[in-house]
Amino acid sequence: GYKFFFFTLSPRLEFGETDFVALCDTLRVSDIVRANAWKTYEKVSSADGTLVGYSEKKKDMWGICIFIAAVDLDEMTFTFTELLKSIGMSVCTCFRLLREMDVNMDTISTKVDSNVSRLNKKYDVLSALYHKFERTSAELSFPLVLKTSWITFLLAKGKVLQMEDDLVISFQLLLCVLDYFIKLSPPAMLKEPYKSHVSAMSINGSTRAPRRGQNRSTRTSKQTETDTKVIEVLCKEYGCNLDEVKNVYFTSFIPFLNSVGIVTSNGLPEVEDLSRQYEELYLKNKDIDARLFLDNDETLQRNHIECTSLGAWAAMNTIQQLMMILNSASDKPSDNLISYFNNCTVNPKENILARVENLGNIFKEKFAEAVGQGCAEIGSQRYKLGVRLYYRLMESMLKSEEERLSVHNFSKLLNNNIFHTSLLACAVEVVMATYGSKLNTETDLSFPWILNVLDLKAFDFYKVIESFIKAEPSLTREMIKHLERCEHRIMESLAWQSDSSLFDLIKQSKEREGQVDQPEPTCTLNFPLQHNHTAADLYLSPVRSPKKKGSTASLNPTPIIDAQPVLAPQTQKPQKSTSLSLFYKKVYRLAYLRLNTLCLRLLFDHPELEHLIWTLFQHTLQNEYELMKDRHLDQIMMCSMYGICKVKNVDLRFKIIVTAYKELTNTNQETFKRVLIREGQYDSIIVFYNLVFMQKLKTNILQYASNRPPTLSPIPHIPRSPYKFSNSPLRVPAGNNIYISPLKSPYKFSEGMLSPTKMTPRSRILVSIGESFGTSEKFQKINQMVGSSDRQLKRSAEVSTAPKPLKRLRFDIEGQDEADGSKHLPGESKFQQKLAEMSKYCLL
């Protein structure tokens, strides 16, 4: 039995720990999973104050540790729902506990983290869908119909969709299921407007259940082609695209009905048969039994304290806004675009149309591979929306260039394949992100998926982003922020992949005669970043406009003019690349912003070190850029911080650095756990620092300890984001919800934008400075809120410390980092600055 295992596992086990063995028996786990789970539990329970409030809840911790061990060892002998049932825990509590363990103990591997993210996304989708199902199923008042329709949907979702966390397609499939069951229901059971539509269909005899032997496919197709009133009502109620839902019905739902061989009883599918088929899927996936939503099961209850609200359905507005932008657009070039094409020396029309068609076929194929073959047409529809946006943006860009340059011939730009592929990719990415933004989580189709599909390099894609945003003023805040995040990801790592054209540009910049080895002079760092460049400047640089008699060459390239190039003598030095120069300027600013954030948190007592760290950081990006190849910007940042602190005898260890780093936005633990050491070999950031970074920069780092340290690099001028959100409220950081926002114009739905004013919760106070709004009580309440926030800040500041170091780090290697014992450094908040700004508007 387990006696041998019990005593071998730990001689210090108390008698009560036999409950751990019993839990393992219940979940049918192997001995190796038991052993690993117990080791994890011992590590967690031995840490002081690791998980507040859970030290006494041993069974909860055992269950979590068993789950971690089973996932790491690929030995899942139980489903996620079985685990939750066995320890009496809700899914939200489980996810929270797993996150806490990762932050405090670093016990969660990337494999477990990925598994948990998948489960979390699936739960969020299912929870949101069931919430909508409950609302709509009020039309299906008969309990059996409600149960049967939900299980039918779960089975269809599992059979049809390969990527089950696609909320939009899942919801469209749910509408198909509801349409199917509403039509099967007796009219007397329904409410208006469904009752009238189904009654009319019953008179025509189109809703009768099929007799055995009758061809279901023929009957369903005929029925759906003629009776679309129900699905039209459903689509209108939830703001869904009718054509897309019809497509899901014909290409996915009808084939599903034909494939599962549903047996009907009294006109309805037999629920036991559906439930049995669904259970096979659930046991195979070993995840969440979504049938339990019907029972309001406690394991699936959403705790509002522990689980944040999805906001999934409010985001449906983003799709509606995108559709409003594109409703008037065409998926063919407009007459204005045709005129631009005709004005070119080489007419690009045929190549453009062929490219759009060829890339569309590739996109449709890759989309179907990712989501499911039954969803291929959905991919086509989303691609067509992207094409509409692509032509719309192309026309806008050309019109802007025409006004700027007073020229009509854009042959060079319009015959540039990379420009077109990048612009099309950006348009499609906006569509994909809009449809996939419901959960604000990454999916299989998230960026940079589109780059792989269209075989486009990240650096080339980056060139079009800013011009894209400038050319389309109707883009929503969510769309703009997504593109800005894509730009940041490119600057952080994607552009630095070994096959990137970026490295060729850098090498070319080195070859310029008489130029220092630097892609962008440091003397320009403290200048404001200019945003007067265009896509043409970036895609066709370096090019110099031809000289005219009596004039000199333009300092700013105008490469889109189709003039014959001037034959330069061989001694002429290569031109400076506009795209490379701008890229480095943006990288420097992003890098410094990251560094500044980390220094404020970790080096508050040593502000003088920030400039030194920045100088080393900037020197590495400029002169040792090969270190960035297949690596991440933040890896160089953390190594620079550690190196300067080391040489300056400031006790700041990697454990502290990575703990603070994990709390920054948009970070991933793989950034410091998996760093390229040499080709094909990866290890922790500590190993990278010792074996690569330090070896390359040792001489430079040691100079900072000498009497003649390197000249300090200028601090970059940090402007506000060029992608302005004029209607975005600015939150004042504190315990209360206080926002400052520009005065908003009256809400106009015709403009296609939703005013944030309309979305202000009623419980909050909306004050427009400079306008009369009634009594002074509102200002008095603001003063009270600000005052209480100030007191709260002061109390928290008294005990504020730098982040507590991780107790154990998987990547720690004996002897490669200092022993524990560094002092805690106080953090810093900028609330006082915000408070000063707020005080201008508060009446005392």
Side-chain angles (χ1 to χ4, degrees):
Y2 296 110
K3 198 168 184 180
F4 174 79
F5 163 75
F6 176 80
F7 285 106
T8 302
L9 187 61
S10 174
R12 296 178 286 110
L13 282 177
E14 300 173 1
F15 179 78
E17 313 298 356
T18 54
D19 290 342
F20 171 78
V21 178
L23 180 59
C24 290
D25 290 344
T26 300
L27 298 174
R28 307 172 297 278
V29 300
S30 66
D31 286 355
I32 189 172
V33 171
R34 298 171 192 236
N36 278 268
W38 187 258
K39 289 178 183 177
T40 301
Y41 171 69
E42 284 187 321
K43 182 169 69 171
V44 172
S45 59
S46 65
D48 296 333
T50 299
L51 296 167
V52 178
Y54 277 90
S55 58
E56 301 300 322
K57 299 180 181 180
K58 291 184 177 180
K59 193 171 184 179
D60 291 355
M61 296 304 304
W62 290 338
I64 298 294
C65 293
I66 291 171
F67 172 77
I68 292 172
V71 172
D72 271 330
L73 295 168
D74 286 322
E75 290 197 18
M76 287 290 292
T77 55
F78 51 88
T79 69
F80 190 58
T81 294
E82 283 182 300
L83 171 70
L84 298 177
K85 286 282 192 181
S86 66
I87 59 178
M89 182 182 288
S90 73
V91 63
C92 290
T93 302
C94 183
F95 290 150
R96 180 177 63 80
L97 191 53
L98 282 161
R99 285 194 299 270
E100 288 184 12
M101 291 178 67
D102 188 30
V103 170
N104 294 309
M105 288 295 300
D106 195 48
T107 55
I108 308 298
S109 67
T110 55
K111 186 175 182 179
V112 174
D113 187 61
S114 175
N115 188 285
V116 172
S117 295
R118 180 185 64 82
L119 286 169
N120 203 336
K121 285 188 285 187
K122 186 163 188 175
Y123 169 74
D124 282 344
V125 169
L126 287 168
S127 179
L129 290 170
Y130 187 73
H131 174 72
K132 285 296 178 184
F133 173 77
E134 278 188 309
R135 174 184 164 187
T136 309
S137 60
E139 317 303 332
L140 307 171
S141 55
F142 192 47
L144 179 60
V145 177
L146 187 148
K147 182 177 181 180
T148 306
S149 56
W150 176 247
I151 296 177
T152 300
F153 163 69
L154 294 177
L155 181 59
K157 182 171 176 288
K159 293 273 190 180
V160 171
L161 301 183
Q162 290 175 208
M163 196 179 68
E164 293 190 66
D165 59 356
D166 190 307
L167 180 60
V168 174
I169 299 179
S170 296
F171 186 61
Q172 291 171 344
L173 184 60
L174 177 60
L175 294 185
C176 295
V177 173
L178 290 171
D179 171 83
Y180 176 75
F181 278 94
I182 288 173
K183 289 175 181 177
L184 288 180
S185 302
M189 293 173 53
L190 302 172
K191 300 176 183 178
E192 294 295 351
Y194 303 104
K195 183 176 181 178
S196 299
H197 293 314
V198 175
S199 296
M201 293 163 58
S202 298
I203 294 173
N204 296 329
S206 61
T207 63
R208 294 298 177 193
R211 295 184 298 273
R212 292 188 183 274
Q214 185 174 356
N215 187 292
R216 178 183 301 274
S217 178
T218 302
R219 180 193 70 83
T220 310
S221 299
K222 182 178 179 181
Q223 169 189 328
T224 311
E225 289 170 3
T226 57
D227 303 314
T228 62
K229 293 296 183 182
V230 172
I231 201 73
E232 288 174 7
V233 171
L234 289 169
C235 289
K236 183 176 181 180
E237 181 176 356
Y238 293 105
C240 291
N241 184 286
L242 178 60
D243 291 334
E244 289 186 3
V245 177
K246 282 183 177 180
N247 181 269
V248 172
Y249 202 115
F250 286 113
T251 63
S252 299
F253 186 59
I254 290 178
F256 158 75
L257 291 177
N258 295 330
S259 66
V260 296
I262 293 178
V263 178
T264 60
S265 175
N266 297 322
L268 292 174
E270 292 183 356
V271 67
E272 291 79 10
D273 181 56
L274 293 170
S275 187
R276 177 188 55 78
Q277 294 189 57
Y278 170 74
E279 185 155 3
E280 292 177 0
L281 279 177
Y282 153 66
L283 293 175
K284 179 182 178 181
N285 294 330
K286 293 182 169 56
D287 49 23
I288 298 170
D289 187 350
R291 293 171 298 184
L292 297 179
F293 279 108
L294 292 166
D295 304 325
N296 292 318
D297 190 89
E298 62 180 8
T299 62
L300 297 180
Q301 292 303 304
R302 181 172 289 280
N303 186 317
H304 293 290
I305 296 176
E306 295 176 345
C307 281
T308 57
S309 175
L310 277 177
W313 300 99
M316 280 295 222
N317 292 325
T318 307
I319 295 179
Q320 293 173 334
Q321 291 172 52
L322 177 66
M323 295 305 297
M324 292 175 69
I325 294 174
L326 299 179
N327 274 342
S328 60
S330 171
D331 52 9
K332 300 292 182 183
S334 67
D335 291 340
N336 287 338
L337 270 181
I338 296 297
S339 296
Y340 283 121
F341 297 164
N342 291 336
N343 287 334
C344 292
T345 305
V346 178
N347 193 314
K349 179 182 175 181
E350 295 305 318
N351 284 338
I352 290 174
L353 294 177
R355 184 184 299 107
V356 167
E357 181 180 359
N358 293 337
L359 294 180
N361 292 333
I362 295 172
F363 180 89
K364 180 178 177 180
E365 178 185 346
K366 297 297 183 182
F367 186 92
E369 288 178 4
V371 181
Q373 292 301 323
C375 299
E377 286 306 313
I378 296 176
S380 291
Q381 290 172 346
R382 294 188 185 176
Y383 181 78
K384 286 180 181 178
L385 289 177
V387 170
R388 289 183 181 185
L389 190 57
Y390 160 70
Y391 285 132
R392 176 184 169 101
L393 266 294
M394 189 193 308
E395 182 174 338
S396 177
M397 287 181 177
L398 293 176
K399 183 178 179 181
S400 176
E401 288 293 87
E402 184 178 35
E403 293 173 351
R404 184 174 76 103
L405 301 171
S406 299
V407 296
H408 309 284
N409 188 342
F410 302 102
S411 189
K412 283 188 171 68
L413 180 66
L414 293 179
N415 283 285
N416 186 295
N417 176 64
I418 295 179
F419 162 72
H420 283 291
T421 305
S422 301
L423 182 59
L424 180 58
C426 197
V428 175
E429 176 61 27
V430 166
V431 173
M432 296 294 288
T434 300
Y435 274 87
S437 67
K438 299 326 137 282
L439 300 176
N440 196 28
T441 53
E442 293 189 2
T443 68
D444 294 339
L445 303 181
S446 61
F447 186 80
W449 180 81
I450 190 66
L451 302 185
N452 298 325
V453 169
L454 302 187
D455 193 24
L456 182 65
K457 300 301 180 186
F459 182 69
D460 292 322
F461 180 84
Y462 141 84
K463 298 175 188 177
V464 84
I465 293 176
E466 188 171 326
S467 294
F468 187 100
I469 294 173
K470 290 177 181 176
E472 182 49 80
S474 298
L475 290 177
T476 66
R477 170 189 170 90
E478 288 76 16
M479 297 175 195
I480 294 174
K481 287 190 72 66
H482 174 74
L483 289 177
E484 186 174 26
R485 177 58 192 146
C486 291
E487 184 180 61
H488 286 179
R489 288 189 63 186
I490 291 171
M491 292 189 288
E492 291 166 0
S493 61
L494 297 177
W496 301 97
Q497 293 173 350
S498 54
D499 60 348
S500 173
S501 57
L502 173 63
F503 291 101
D504 292 332
L505 278 178
I506 295 176
K507 290 175 182 176
Q508 291 171 15
S509 74
K510 292 174 59 179
E511 296 170 359
R512 294 202 309 268
E513 182 181 336
Q515 295 293 318
V516 181
D517 175 20
Q518 51 182 26
E520 179 61 24
T522 57
C523 62
T524 66
L525 282 178
N526 51 6
F527 295 166
L529 184 61
Q530 300 298 318
H531 297 282
N532 56 359
H533 46 269
T534 67
D537 295 330
L538 303 185
Y539 282 97
L540 300 181
S541 70
V543 174
R544 188 187 300 275
S545 57
K547 292 184 179 181
K548 298 178 182 179
K549 281 189 176 182
S551 67
T552 58
S554 173
L555 295 178
N556 291 321
T558 55
I560 52 177
I561 303 174
D562 185 49
Q564 294 298 318
V566 176
L567 296 177
Q570 292 184 354
T571 57
Q572 182 177 354
K573 58 188 177 184
Q575 308 273 326
K576 181 178 180 180
S577 168
T578 303
S579 60
L580 179 62
S581 175
L582 178 65
F583 178 78
Y584 254 89
K585 287 177 180 177
K586 286 193 171 187
V587 167
Y588 284 155
R589 283 157 177 80
L590 176 64
Y592 178 73
L593 279 174
R594 294 283 186 86
L595 177 63
N596 176 254
T597 302
L598 211 53
C599 285
L600 286 175
R601 183 165 180 81
L602 296 174
L603 296 173
F604 178 71
D605 284 353
H606 301 276
E608 74 283 357
L609 294 185
E610 180 186 295
H611 209 157
L612 302 181
I613 297 168
W614 165 243
T615 301
L616 175 60
F617 192 7
Q618 186 273 327
H619 167 84
T620 306
L621 294 174
Q622 173 182 301
N623 300 302
E624 305 294 346
Y625 51 83
E626 289 288 337
L627 285 177
M628 278 294 298
K629 187 172 287 186
D630 292 324
R631 297 189 179 99
H632 196 287
L633 185 69
D634 293 346
Q635 294 164 354
I636 306 300
M637 174 185 69
M638 288 185 278
C639 286
S640 299
M641 176 175 278
Y642 180 81
I644 293 297
C645 289
K646 185 86 169 176
V647 79
K648 286 296 185 179
N649 297 316
V650 173
D651 188 12
L652 182 65
R653 296 165 302 115
F654 264 121
K655 290 181 180 181
I656 297 286
I657 294 174
V658 300
T659 303
Y661 174 76
K662 289 173 69 172
E663 296 178 6
L664 303 182
T665 57
N666 299 316
T667 58
N668 190 308
Q669 62 177 330
E670 282 207 10
T671 303
F672 57 83
K673 286 189 175 182
R674 191 173 186 272
V675 189
L676 177 67
I677 306 301
R678 56 181 63 90
E679 187 176 356
Q681 180 187 347
Y682 294 83
D683 214 312
S684 73
I685 194 168
I686 294 177
V687 177
F688 168 70
Y689 177 86
N690 286 323
L691 299 185
V692 182
F693 187 86
M694 185 61 181
Q695 301 303 317
K696 191 76 172 178
L697 291 159
K698 184 175 182 179
T699 302
N700 184 273
I701 293 174
L702 291 177
Q703 290 178 10
Y704 290 88
S706 68
N707 296 326
R708 301 183 64 183
T711 302
L712 297 180
S713 299
I715 298 294
H717 174 79
I718 304 299
R720 292 186 62 184
S721 168
Y723 316 127
K724 294 180 175 61
F725 317 115
S726 59
N727 286 329
S728 302
L730 174 64
R731 186 177 188 272
V732 178
N736 294 298
N737 290 325
I738 303 176
Y739 293 79
I740 302 176
S741 176
L743 181 65
K744 301 174 180 68
S745 58
Y747 173 74
K748 296 180 181 179
F749 187 77
S750 60
E751 295 175 356
M753 298 295 107
L754 290 176
S755 170
T757 305
K758 292 291 181 180
M759 295 182 282
T760 302
R762 295 178 181 176
S763 59
R764 294 179 183 173
I765 302 175
L766 180 64
V767 177
S768 178
I769 305 299
E771 290 187 358
S772 174
F773 64 96
T775 65
S776 61
E777 281 80 3
K778 289 187 177 180
F779 275 131
Q780 292 173 358
K781 189 166 184 179
I782 290 177
N783 288 334
Q784 293 172 2
M785 294 167 68
V786 172
S788 63
S789 299
D790 189 26
R791 289 190 297 273
Q792 178 182 345
L793 177 76
K794 289 178 180 177
R795 287 195 301 270
S796 62
E798 292 173 359
V799 296
S800 176
T801 62
K804 186 177 181 180
L806 302 177
K807 292 292 182 179
R808 296 175 179 84
L809 288 173
R810 288 175 179 267
F811 59 70
D812 278 354
I813 297 179
E814 192 69 27
Q816 290 190 340
D817 205 353
E818 288 86 2
D820 203 342
S822 65
K823 62 181 179 180
H824 291 170
L825 301 173
E828 181 188 56
S829 171
K830 293 187 177 180
F831 177 75
Q832 287 89 344
Q833 298 173 19
K834 297 295 183 183
L835 190 60
E837 295 176 11
M838 275 294 295
S839 64
K840 299 175 184 177
Y841 303 105
C842 294
L843 300 180
L844 297 175

